[in-house]
Amino acid sequence: MIKVLFFAILLAQKACSQDRWDWVRIDCGSDTSYKDSNGDTWDSDDDYIKTGDNKQVASTNSSDIEQLNTLRVFSEQNKNCYTVPTPTSTRYFVRAMFWYGNYDGLSKPPTFDLEFDGNKWATVVTNTTSFTYYEMIYATKGDSISICLARTRDQEFPFISRLESLPLPDDLYPQMRRDMAWFISYRYNYGADDRILGYPDDQYNRIWEPQIPPGLNSVTANFTSLDETSVNVPPDSAIIKAVEASATDTINLSFGFDNMSHLDHVEMYFTEPFLETSETRSFNITVNGNFVNTTIPEYKICTSVWANLQSIGTLDIQLVPTEDSTLAPIISAIEVYTISQPLVIATTSQNDLDGLEEFIDTFDQLKGWSGDPCLPNDTIWQWLNCSTNQPPRVTSIYLSGFGLQGYLPNFSQMDALEVIDLHNNKLSGEIPDFLGKLPNLRLLDLRDNDFSGCVPQSITNNKQINYMIDENENSSCRKSKNAATIGSSIGSVIMLALLGYCCYYCCCRGSKQTDPSPTESTVEFIPAPAPAPAPVPQVIVQQTVEVHQVVRN
């Protein structure tokens, strides 16, 4: 997570076209698509999501960044997902931005979850003073990425201000594992104190925050462009400024994390800002106490040094001058990425996805539901329960009181269903026969609808299903299974009592007789709550330290 104060914010967006990259830019909350003053196209939400309401930030909180003055807020569903096309089979750079701007006048910025393709991305903690953004690099698995916002707190509604994605060249960040996502934790343009660098300074849309750590001196090179640069192509304007230690002191850089174990990918960028033939500059780089590289910066050449290593808590980097160095250590820029948890291997079962699609296609009230219904397992669609199997299965459907009208679609492929609760709607037509053939179904609640006809024998003959169909006025057979069972049991008790009385009367007519009083019984089926999803175990990646130094002509 990165929070940026509004002072001196400049995210320029102009110059070179990115159409060949299939760049997606969404101005969330905008009523129409448009071209900005630099000719770049910003889309409205309509082609990417069907839920949510467009809002404007308060006039007193307007931003110089045009796209942050509108937002899309989601107050109805617990999970709302953008479908972002990824026509190129490669890794994508994705950024989501959030500016609360007191759009609702309540001064209560919400907290919620950000997800991608069924995986947790981040917990978004918004505030009243700054915008927040999240970036990741991710190898797509299909022709789109699902970016979801999930409500995790009562009355705290998710929103989003801006969403962007673009494919990256294969040779950028070659040391990052392709089977995981990488989240940006820190990216600094050292030595700068005036403005944030973004596109078009950075052709890959990365944001570089200005930073001068305490005790270090800002240095500006005596040139304005590089002759050679790193394979990751940082913007020249981020490299020509740097920070330098005093005399021959050590540079100490610390980056805070929580106390959980995490794998970090660090990229450090260096250049020699002045051509001094009589001086030498060299220093050793250590990360968390592990030696990484001895670096000698070169004039007008950007060199990058990278390391992958495990950390717990703080990530510490030291640049220590070598014995023969006459100049202090120097650094121009740095990036720190953190690896994701292991990505989900299998999405929700395709049978269940197909069955849910039948519901969504049939009923207007469900049109906005998208994304993976069962993943992550702590933000399941609010009208479902799911198993924790791989792949997850939908085990319960709870659509009571949703105002559904018309015939039930055929969702017979959802063969893991144990509970179907559709009572208090306006469903009509005959009760489908396939419901009684679902192998795991235990409870079927169709009360208070407009079904007609009798309950199919596939249901009435299925001893494991407790079904309820009362208050269907058009049905000629409205008893539930429980009611029918109770009536039959009471009738049997009465018949046995009469038969016993007759026998007793014939055999013992003169004796004192008492009438048996049959006892009534009632049966109530209460479905057990679904078990809470099992926590996903954290996988600890084996500690590694790798070293690489590259330049590109």
Side-chain angles (χ1 to χ4, degrees), residues 272-285:
E272 177 56 55
F274 311 110
L275 185 60
E276 298 284 353
T277 56
S278 60
E279 302 282 357
T280 61
R281 190 193 309 270
S282 63
F283 45 89
N284 296 323
I285 301 173

Side-chain angles (χ1 to χ4, degrees), residues 372-545:
D372 196 296
C374 294
L375 294 170
N377 58 12
D378 57 348
T379 56
I380 295 169
W381 288 3
Q382 64 198 45
W383 48 280
L384 302 177
N385 273 346
C386 299
S387 72
T388 56
N389 301 344
Q390 291 292 332
R393 299 301 309 270
V394 176
T395 58
S396 304
I397 293 177
Y398 298 102
L399 286 170
S400 170
F402 268 62
L404 308 181
Q405 299 184 42
Y407 294 179
L408 270 181
N410 186 338
F411 54 96
S412 57
Q413 63 271 62
M414 299 182 69
D415 52 9
L417 281 171
E418 300 172 6
V419 175
I420 300 174
D421 184 355
L422 301 173
H423 84 275
N424 192 25
N425 286 290
K426 294 185 179 181
L427 298 169
S428 57
E430 294 186 354
I431 297 172
D433 179 70
F434 74 82
L435 294 173
K437 299 176 181 179
L438 294 172
N440 295 291
L441 191 62
R442 298 295 183 270
L443 173 65
L444 177 63
D445 191 347
L446 303 178
R447 293 171 297 154
D448 299 304
N449 279 288
D450 295 325
F451 287 112
S452 57
C454 290
V455 182
Q457 289 187 353
S458 64
I459 296 176
T460 59
N461 293 340
N462 191 328
K463 295 181 179 180
Q464 74 177 12
I465 299 177
N466 289 278
Y467 62 88
M468 293 174 280
I469 61 165
D470 304 273
E471 303 302 325
N472 280 273
E473 297 300 328
N474 295 322
S475 175
S476 58
C477 310
R478 295 196 299 272
K479 286 185 178 180
S480 69
K481 178 177 180 180
N482 287 333
T485 302
I486 293 166
S488 175
S489 299
I490 293 175
S492 299
V493 170
I494 293 173
M495 289 298 295
L496 288 173
L498 288 174
L499 180 60
Y501 177 80
C502 290
C503 292
Y504 181 79
Y505 178 80
C506 293
C507 297
C508 308
R509 206 167 19 181
S511 303
K512 184 178 179 179
Q513 302 174 17
T514 58
D515 293 332
S517 177
T519 302
E520 291 188 0
S521 62
T522 59
V523 177
E524 181 181 11
F525 180 85
I526 303 176
V536 179
Q538 183 179 8
V539 177
I540 305 301
V541 185
Q542 180 179 352
Q543 178 170 340
T544 59
V545 177

Side-chain angles (χ1 to χ4, degrees), residues 103-117:
Y103 77 91
D104 54 5
L106 299 176
S107 297
K108 294 182 178 179
T111 295
F112 49 89
D113 278 358
L114 180 62
E115 303 169 353
F116 67 101
D117 283 351

Side-chain angles (χ1 to χ4, degrees), residues 27-314:
D27 182 355
C28 305
S30 175
D31 292 326
T32 60
S33 299
Y34 63 91
K35 286 186 179 294
D36 62 21
S37 58
N38 301 306
D40 295 323
T41 299
W42 289 88
D43 297 329
S44 67
D45 307 79
D46 295 342
D47 290 337
Y48 306 96
I49 195 169
K50 301 303 180 186
T51 56
D53 298 308
N54 293 344
K55 300 291 183 180
Q56 293 269 348
V57 303
S59 58
T60 55
N61 292 284
S62 62
S63 168
D64 292 337
I65 304 173
E66 181 179 1
Q67 296 77 33
L68 296 186
N69 291 319
T70 60
L71 56 95
R72 186 90 158 190
V73 64
F74 306 95
S75 58
E76 297 296 329
Q77 302 175 180
N78 71 320
K79 182 155 65 174
N80 300 266
C81 301
Y82 285 79
T83 301
V84 179
T86 53
T88 304
S89 180
T90 184
R91 292 178 302 163
Y92 275 75
F93 173 87
V94 184
R95 178 166 60 232
M97 300 183 73
F98 308 88
W99 168 228
Y100 170 60
N102 200 26
Y103 77 91
D104 54 5
L106 299 176
S107 297
K108 294 182 178 179
T111 295
F112 49 89
D113 278 358
L114 180 62
E115 303 169 353
F116 67 101
D117 283 351
N119 301 277
K120 173 76 173 287
W121 182 349
T123 295
V124 179
V125 182
T126 62
N127 61 77
T128 58
T129 60
S130 64
F131 72 86
T132 302
Y133 67 92
Y134 300 81
E135 295 176 356
M136 74 169 174
I137 295 174
Y138 171 57
T140 178
K141 295 181 174 63
D143 57 5
S144 65
I145 301 175
S146 178
I147 305 295
C148 301
L149 302 115
R151 186 169 71 242
T152 56
R153 299 184 182 184
D154 187 42
Q155 297 301 308
E156 295 193 20
F157 302 120
F159 72 89
I160 187 169
S161 303
R162 173 168 152 170
L163 182 60
E164 301 162 87
S165 75
L166 74 154
L168 294 177
D170 286 339
D171 57 353
L172 256 68
Y173 306 106
Q175 297 79 29
M176 287 183 175
R177 290 173 51 180
R178 303 300 178 97
D179 60 337
M180 307 288 270
W182 293 87
F183 307 137
I184 189 65
S185 296
Y186 298 92
R187 186 186 294 115
Y188 289 143
N189 171 21
Y190 285 127
D193 60 0
D194 51 355
R195 69 184 183 99
I196 291 173
L197 293 179
Y199 174 76
D201 293 276
D202 188 318
Q203 61 182 307
Y204 298 114
N205 198 31
R206 295 163 296 191
I207 289 177
W208 302 78
E209 296 183 47
Q211 179 75 224
I212 301 177
L216 299 181
N217 304 314
S218 178
V219 176
T220 301
N222 62 5
F223 54 85
T224 57
S225 62
L226 297 165
D227 291 340
E228 298 179 18
T229 192
S230 159
V231 67
N232 298 325
V233 198
D236 286 6
S237 50
I239 304 304
I240 61 176
K241 290 192 174 184
V243 288
E244 183 182 37
S246 300
T248 56
D249 292 341
T250 296
I251 290 180
N252 294 288
L253 304 172
S254 292
F255 303 90
F257 293 89
D258 58 31
N259 289 325
M260 302 296 290
S261 179
H262 51 91
L263 180 66
D264 296 320
H265 176 77
V266 182
E267 293 276 357
M268 294 164 278
Y269 302 97
F270 307 93
T271 192
E272 177 56 55
F274 311 110
L275 185 60
E276 298 284 353
T277 56
S278 60
E279 302 282 357
T280 61
R281 190 193 309 270
S282 63
F283 45 89
N284 296 323
I285 301 173
T286 65
V287 181
N288 286 347
N290 298 290
F291 174 78
V292 172
N293 185 259
T294 297
T295 296
I296 302 175
E298 297 182 68
Y299 185 68
K300 300 189 74 173
I301 295 175
C302 175
T303 301
S304 65
V305 175
W306 61 268
N308 286 342
L309 74 163
Q310 201 80 15
S311 297
I312 298 178
T314 303

